[in-house]
Amino acid sequence: MLGRYVRELKVITLPDAVKKMTSMNADKLGIKDRGRLTEGLAADVTVFDQDRVIDRATFEQPHQFPVGIKYVIVNGVVTVDNEQHTGALAGRVLYGPGKRAK
């Protein structure tokens, strides 16, 4: 999204792309504590170089890390540090309001 549609094709602005990948999806799924950097909410943060970010995954090799993702913090744990995965697995499954209780 960021490398191809924002930087290369220029069909969407950077702020609109970030919104589509964060708050818009959280709102659509009804997940109230995600998608924004606001006091009191869970803060999963991605720091990227907008001039370099690009997805390298292909259909033949889908498990390729992107370029230009400098840092990722998930649940307060640094997961990507200077473009290198730390091995941390701090994420968890998020359920929206449609999940049925057992």
Side-chain angles (χ1 to χ4, degrees):
M1 168 72 91
L2 298 174
R4 180 135 175 88
Y5 296 103
V6 174
R7 190 178 60 247
E8 293 175 3
L9 298 176
K10 296 179 181 13
V11 296
I12 187 170
T13 66
L14 180 60
D16 285 343
V18 169
K19 180 178 179 180
K20 281 180 173 272
M21 294 185 293
T22 58
S23 64
M24 187 179 286
N25 280 318
D27 291 347
K28 191 184 313 180
L29 294 172
I31 301 172
K32 304 289 186 201
D33 69 337
R34 305 282 169 152
R36 291 169 178 78
L37 289 177
T38 303
E39 187 174 341
L41 300 186
D44 296 334
V45 179
T46 301
V47 178
F48 60 91
D49 179 342
Q50 72 181 37
D51 295 327
R52 291 185 52 236
V53 68
I54 193 78
D55 184 9
R56 298 184 309 159
T58 65
F59 285 107
E60 295 78 27
Q61 294 185 315
H63 302 291
Q64 303 297 313
F65 283 111
V67 173
I69 303 292
K70 299 293 287 180
Y71 302 96
V72 177
I73 303 166
V74 178
N75 290 327
V77 177
V78 176
T79 304
V80 175
D81 187 4
N82 200 26
E83 296 193 31
Q84 299 297 313
H85 197 286
T86 65
L89 300 173
R92 63 182 179 87
V93 176
L94 300 177
Y95 295 104
K99 182 177 184 313
R100 293 186 179 151
K102 290 184 179 186

